[in-house]
């Protein structure tokens, strides 16, 4: 029998979820016209990205959600990276937007573009993929490579979405796309571990509880000199970098 989440029956948590939902939608609607204006021209698209970051920061501030971000080294906002992280919660996406100083595109599922208002914004700012369509996956890889060439970082969840059936263990094997594009463009892969977002947000019921978003930003892994033959080694290196701190945080051993 599935263990009942005590937070779902707590009326205070319900009120808190309504409060944070109000500010999430409210700030989005307040900033949305300005985002759309910025998206109409290539030269101003970067400002739409900055407004999305403002939206994320306002949401977390008004939701009284604090952050504990421990980084192995300071991020260079001008450096191009392929960011890879575990994906256990929808909260990972606004958390990413808040903590990163870089200009980036998410690689996200194409179904998001069907969401009213938000879908238009997401589709214009990011790279969408239908993971069930081989042609779409190939096109997404090509678009991501062009983004890296234009000095725009890529954020990708190499599990292929929220697919794990046994949190806090990641789904394996990781998808190859992130590592293939990093090697092809010789840009560093930067692993990130979201330790507890899935404990703060119940994705099924969109119930959010207050707390601290705990993030570990690892040292970038250099891909210079690597070829596609090195992809399996890079994939395993990134997996270990992301997974181990999550299991350490939850007091779980790595499987043998």
């Amino acid at each position: 029998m599935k263990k009942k989440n005590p937070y779902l029956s707590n009326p205070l948590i319900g009120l808190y979820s309504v409060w944070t939902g109000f500010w999430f939608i409210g700030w989005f609607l307040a900033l949305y016209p300005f985002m759309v204006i910025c998206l109409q021209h290539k030269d101003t698209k970067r400002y739409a990205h900055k407004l999305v970051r403002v939206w994320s920061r306002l949401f977390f501030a008004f939701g009284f959600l604090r952050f504990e971000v421990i980084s192995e080294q300071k991020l260079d906002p001008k450096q191009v990276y392929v960011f890879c992280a575990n994906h256990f919660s929808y909260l990972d996406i606004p958390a990413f937007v808040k903590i990163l100083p870089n200009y980036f595109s998410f690689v996200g599922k194409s179904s998001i573009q069907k969401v009213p208002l938000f879908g238009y914004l997401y589709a214009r700012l990011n790279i969408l993929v239908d993971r069930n369509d081989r042609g779409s996956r190939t096109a997404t890889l090509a678009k991501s490579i062009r983004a890296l060439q234009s000095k725009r970082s890529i954020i990708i969840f190499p599990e292929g979405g929220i697919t794990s059936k046994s949190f806090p263990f990641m789904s394996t094997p990781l998808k190859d796309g992130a590592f293939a594009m990093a090697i092809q463009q010789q840009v560093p892969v930067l692993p990130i571990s979201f330790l507890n977002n899935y404990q703060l947000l119940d994705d099924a019921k969109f119930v959010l509880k207050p707390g601290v978003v705990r993030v570990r930003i690892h040292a970038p892994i250099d891909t210079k000199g690597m070829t596609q033959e090195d992809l399996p080694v890079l994939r395993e290196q990134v997996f270990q970098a992301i997974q181990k701190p999550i299991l350490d945080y939850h007091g779980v051993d790595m499987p043998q």
Side-chain angles (χ1 to χ4, degrees):
M1 180 180 294
K2 186 177 179 180
K3 187 177 180 181
K4 187 176 180 181
N5 188 334
Y7 292 105
L8 300 183
S9 58
N10 187 328
L12 292 179
I13 294 300
L15 287 173
Y16 174 76
S17 297
V18 172
W19 166 267
T20 52
F22 170 80
W23 287 113
F24 184 82
I25 296 171
W27 282 118
F28 172 72
L29 294 176
L31 294 170
Y32 187 76
F34 304 101
M35 295 176 187
V36 171
I37 291 171
C38 292
L39 286 173
Q40 301 313 304
H41 197 279
K42 183 179 179 180
D43 293 338
T44 57
K45 192 172 183 179
R46 185 182 290 263
Y47 295 104
H49 181 272
K50 290 182 178 180
L51 285 171
V52 172
R53 181 174 288 123
V54 170
W55 170 35
S56 174
R57 290 176 176 175
L58 286 170
F59 161 65
F60 284 112
F62 278 75
F64 307 110
L65 283 161
R66 294 171 292 129
F67 274 72
E68 177 196 83
V69 181
I70 297 177
S71 182
E72 293 183 19
Q73 66 182 62
K74 188 176 181 180
L75 286 176
D76 180 356
K78 296 182 179 180
Q79 171 67 49
V80 177
Y81 300 100
V82 174
F83 293 99
C84 292
N86 60 298
H87 196 20
F88 295 166
S89 169
Y90 291 127
L91 196 62
D92 302 336
I93 297 172
F96 244 134
V97 175
K98 181 183 186 301
I99 65 175
L100 295 185
N102 306 72
Y103 183 42
F104 57 78
S105 287
F106 281 100
V107 173
K109 58 185 180 180
S110 58
S111 58
I112 294 178
Q113 64 186 322
K114 297 178 182 179
V115 178
L117 299 181
F118 179 78
Y120 171 80
L121 177 69
Y122 194 88
R124 292 293 300 273
L125 282 174
N126 302 294
I127 300 168
L128 304 185
V129 58
D130 180 350
R131 295 188 177 96
N132 297 317
D133 185 329
R134 184 175 181 180
S136 176
R137 296 197 302 270
T138 301
T140 296
L141 180 59
K143 290 177 184 178
S144 299
I145 288 172
R146 288 198 295 271
L148 293 172
Q149 290 171 339
S150 67
K151 306 302 180 184
R152 190 171 188 178
S153 294
I154 291 292
I155 293 177
I156 191 166
F157 297 107
E159 292 170 275
I162 303 176
T163 58
S164 176
K165 303 299 181 184
S166 54
F167 302 146
F169 293 97
M170 297 173 67
S171 294
T172 55
L174 303 183
K175 308 298 183 185
D176 288 344
F179 316 112
M181 69 178 75
I183 291 173
Q184 202 266 9
Q185 290 299 302
Q186 299 284 278
V187 300
V189 178
L190 201 151
I192 293 180
S193 303
F194 291 112
L195 304 184
N196 66 329
N197 283 349
Y198 75 99
Q199 294 179 316
L200 298 177
L201 176 66
D202 184 294
D203 285 351
K205 298 182 181 294
F206 285 98
V207 174
L208 181 67
K209 70 185 184 75
V212 180
V213 177
R214 303 186 190 278
V215 188
R216 301 294 180 264
I217 301 177
H218 308 293
I221 300 172
D222 193 3
T223 62
K224 288 182 180 178
M226 286 188 181
T227 69
Q228 296 301 326
E229 292 182 356
D230 299 306
L231 191 153
V233 174
L234 176 61
R235 181 180 58 209
E236 180 63 20
Q237 192 174 358
V238 171
F239 170 74
Q240 294 290 337
I242 298 171
Q243 180 72 91
K244 189 175 186 306
I246 299 171
L247 299 186
D248 288 346
Y249 174 77
H250 292 283
V252 179
D253 293 330
M254 286 284 286
Q256 299 298 319

